[in-house]
Amino acid sequence: MELDKMDENDWKYHGEGNKSLVVSHLQHCQVLRLLKFPSEDSAHTRQTAEQAFRHILNIVDYSKYVMKPLLGEKYVHSGEVVKLPLDFVRQLSLKVQQERPELRCDKVMDTFSGCGLCLPNLTQLPLHHLRDHRPPICVEIKPKCGFLPFSRHITKECKRKVCRFCMHQHYKLANGKWKRLSRYCPLDLFSGSKQRMYVALKNLLEEPQNNLKIFKGGELIFSCKDDAKQQPDLNDLVQHLRPYFPHSNGLYNGHQPGKAVLNEFIQVICSALLSGGDSNRSGESRKVHLSESRPLCEASPFPRDLLRNGNQGLPKDSVLAKILQVQMLDNLDIEGIYPLYKRVEQYLEEFPKERNRLQIDGPYNESFMDTVKNCPVEDDGSVEYAVGKVHQYRVAMTAKDCSIMITFAPCEEDEEHQLNLEKPRLTYSISILDLDPKPYEGIPHQHKLDTKIVNYYLRSTQAPPPSSLYKERQECTLLFHAV
Ligand SMILES: O=P(O)(O)O[C@@H]1[C@@H](OP(=O)(O)O)[C@H](OP(=O)(O)O)[C@H](O)[C@H](OP(=O)(O)O)[C@H]1OP(=O)(O)O
Ligand SMILES: Nc1ncnc2c1ncn2[C@@H]1O[C@H](COP(=O)(O)OP(=O)(O)OP(=O)(O)O)[C@@H](O)[C@H]1O
């Protein structure tokens, strides 16, 4: 990329999340990730160019020295920090504004620092794979937390039975983030059971929210609609996918042929998610089992009578196993972490200069990683133990909020990395993205949010019969429809 010749006309809007906006290059397989900040922030509270540069460098270092060693070299692309001409960034910001979904416009793109992150465009496959006229399909899944907490610090029994995602759905519906409950349950996706994974992926297709996006040739073709009342069009998706699964068009005796296409599509995603496991001498893939956490969420729609085989485990090197193992570094739960956070805070009040030595805000280097890996198991009352657990918790939080991108395209027989499917022959690549550090200061918010989610879930699912509920309902109305 020639930084002095940057032209906004070479780039187009690609997507965004809560913290960053992404543009993709029209010709090259590259994206630029630019930070966003709340639009109401006044000029003097914004980061200086130097702070913004440091911030993005921290993101790259965290990905490179912390998340990559934990998740695996092959899945993580850390990218590089780039200094962009301010004029280019301003023009780009104007250009993409009309493409942005309304629900993300509470934040504005950073047009002041001139710093960005350059990454490979993971919705595409490197050109040498493209010997076919059909462009690559990319499935982006934000799987969220795949286990039930097992910490002895948990005070609400329901947290041991119902997963955070399923509980959070009720809270999100109540405060208007989504219009319909998602039936997706992360524990089904992370189960390693093909049946349960199938159901999880089917439920994602029916209600994608911000957990599923599909791209074709780098263009978004399926996601939640900006108008959350509208459901995404599965028939439209089937039309896009049909050329990739030609033999399924004749299945089901011509009845519901779309169902056969979606069925095959889901199986391809499942195979990719389970791929990458190595083999032991008996030729069987080694599996990761979740011995400590109960493998089933009581709110999952998966039929209980089909659960005979229990938890089958994930192949050791699969992308799901890698993410789950990092998520499970959170073994104390926010209820166990919050008192340790307060211990650190108290210590820093007394010894503010220790903040650097304890690497509270980075740098995210090998020494930070050592603290994460070598944190003592037992609490000896020290600030070192508290910091180690807080670091581990933050790393786990990143893994609970990351996304998986599976990009596949039809291929010739001799190509590497083929999916182990009889038909069709697909070449694929899997990556993990959005591996930013979660701020230390966010812990009190996490603690409050946890309490709100659990309390709201208990109130909405264990409510007494309607006759005795009149007063409480009025309170709910006042709470969620403020005038
Ligand atoms: O707290 P959660 O579980 O709601 O996760 C937040 C996500 O909401 P979700 O539930 O996935 O819709 C949220 O996603 P959306 O903005 O809702 O798409 C962000 O990913 C947020 O991370 P950050 O603060 O931008 O670093 C996420 O916050 P963190 O908790 O990861 O900090
Ligand atoms: N390297 C990449 N290649 C292709 N698309 C990407 C890449 N990185 C990000 N994207 C797209 O941009 C979107 C926003 O990026 P990202 O998830 O990193 O934003 P974020 O603001 O950090 O998210 P969050 O809401 O989780 O904080 C992603 O959902 C994905 O569709």
Side-chain angles (χ1 to χ4, degrees), residues 148 158 161-163 165-167 169-170 182-185 187-188 203 296-302 304 457 461:
L148 287 175
C158 70
K161 296 178 185 157
V162 180
C163 82
F165 180 91
C166 290
M167 279 200 264
Q169 279 294 309
H170 292 261
S182 162
R183 284 160 60 80
Y184 164 69
C185 174
L187 267 64
D188 289 331
N203 289 329
L296 180 68
C297 165
E298 287 187 3
S300 157
F302 190 84
R304 296 187 149 258
Y457 179 77
T461 55

Side-chain angles (χ1 to χ4, degrees), residues 14 17-20 22 33 120-122 140 213 401 433-434:
H14 180 75
N18 183 36
K19 291 241 168 87
S20 56
V22 176
R33 190 169 175 238
N121 186 342
L122 300 167
E140 178 181 342
K213 289 180 191 171
D401 197 42
L433 59 150
D434 196 4

Side-chain angles (χ1 to χ4, degrees), residues 247-286:
H247 52 277
S248 58
N249 290 335
L251 295 179
Y252 291 80
N253 290 331
H255 299 298
Q256 298 183 300
K259 220 172 165 181
V261 172
L262 289 180
N263 180 30
E264 286 227 38
F265 177 58
I266 293 177
Q267 286 187 31
V268 165
I269 307 172
C270 271
S271 302
L273 289 171
L274 293 173
S275 67
D278 55 359
S279 292
N280 61 20
R281 269 193 221 132
S282 68
E284 290 212 337
S285 214
R286 257 185 269 148

Side-chain angles (χ1 to χ4, degrees), residues 157-420:
E157 205 43 35
C158 70
K159 279 170 71 173
R160 299 185 194 277
K161 296 178 185 157
V162 180
C163 82
R164 149 88 174 216
F165 180 91
C166 290
M167 279 200 264
H168 203 172
Q169 279 294 309
H170 292 261
Y171 187 60
K172 287 178 178 174
L173 205 73
N175 56 41
K177 181 160 179 175
W178 305 114
K179 296 281 181 272
R180 290 174 299 274
L181 281 183
S182 162
R183 284 160 60 80
Y184 164 69
C185 174
L187 267 64
D188 289 331
L189 189 73
F190 282 95
S191 66
S193 139
K194 285 202 175 147
Q195 273 183 317
R196 285 178 69 187
M197 290 174 74
Y198 184 95
V199 169
L201 291 165
K202 184 177 135 300
N203 289 329
L204 279 181
L205 282 165
E206 280 169 5
E207 194 59 60
Q209 297 190 351
N210 59 352
N211 304 100
L212 176 73
K213 289 180 191 171
I214 302 172
F215 299 82
K216 181 174 158 185
E219 301 284 337
L220 186 67
I221 56 164
F222 185 86
S223 66
C224 76
K225 299 270 181 192
D226 198 10
D227 171 7
K229 279 188 204 135
Q230 249 184 300
Q231 257 163 322
D233 190 346
L234 278 172
N235 289 327
D236 193 39
L237 177 66
V238 168
Q239 296 316 320
H240 280 292
L241 295 177
R242 218 181 267 290
Y244 298 80
F245 306 100
H247 52 277
S248 58
N249 290 335
L251 295 179
Y252 291 80
N253 290 331
H255 299 298
Q256 298 183 300
K259 220 172 165 181
V261 172
L262 289 180
N263 180 30
E264 286 227 38
F265 177 58
I266 293 177
Q267 286 187 31
V268 165
I269 307 172
C270 271
S271 302
L273 289 171
L274 293 173
S275 67
D278 55 359
S279 292
N280 61 20
R281 269 193 221 132
S282 68
E284 290 212 337
S285 214
R286 257 185 269 148
K287 299 284 175 82
V288 171
H289 284 278
L290 312 174
S291 51
E292 282 180 289
S293 74
R294 286 167 50 135
L296 180 68
C297 165
E298 287 187 3
S300 157
F302 190 84
R304 296 187 149 258
D305 51 333
L306 294 180
L307 277 171
R308 277 186 307 272
N309 298 337
N311 178 34
Q312 301 182 339
L314 290 162
K316 187 178 145 282
D317 281 338
S318 64
V319 68
L320 289 176
K322 290 284 179 190
I323 292 175
L324 189 58
Q325 277 172 334
V326 182
Q327 292 184 347
M328 289 174 82
L329 283 175
D330 170 16
N331 56 7
L332 296 182
D333 190 72
I334 185 66
E335 295 190 55
I337 285 295
Y338 189 57
L340 296 176
Y341 164 84
K342 288 204 289 197
R343 186 189 298 173
V344 179
E345 278 294 272
Q346 205 176 357
Y347 181 81
L348 292 178
E349 239 169 66
E350 240 180 288
F351 309 102
K353 286 191 183 143
E354 285 283 273
R355 198 174 174 102
N356 286 345
R357 183 185 66 85
L358 296 171
Q359 296 187 274
I360 300 294
D361 318 295
Y364 302 114
N365 50 18
E366 278 98 352
S367 144
F368 181 93
M369 185 60 179
D370 276 350
T371 321
V372 170
K373 281 202 302 207
N374 303 321
C375 177
V377 180
E378 291 300 323
D379 186 359
D380 55 4
S382 67
V383 73
E384 277 73 18
Y385 172 82
V387 168
K389 292 314 284 184
V390 165
H391 284 355
Q392 281 187 340
Y393 171 79
R394 289 171 58 201
V395 169
M397 288 300 287
T398 296
K400 290 182 193 181
D401 197 42
C402 69
S403 296
I404 304 169
M405 267 193 177
I406 303 159
T407 307
F408 64 84
C411 70
E412 315 264 315
E413 302 233 331
D414 58 341
E415 283 191 55
E416 278 183 281
H417 306 302
Q418 287 187 14
L419 278 173
N420 187 17

Side-chain angles (χ1 to χ4, degrees), residues 5 10 13 26 37 39 42 103 118 129 141 148 150 179 182 275 279 290 317 337 349 375 424 442 478 483:
K5 291 192 192 140
D10 291 335
Y13 179 81
L26 295 178
F37 53 80
S39 40
S42 61
L103 66 105
C118 183
H129 281 298
I141 300 171
L148 287 175
F150 42 85
K179 296 281 181 272
S182 162
S275 67
S279 292
L290 312 174
D317 281 338
I337 285 295
E349 239 169 66
C375 177
L478 284 174
V483 252

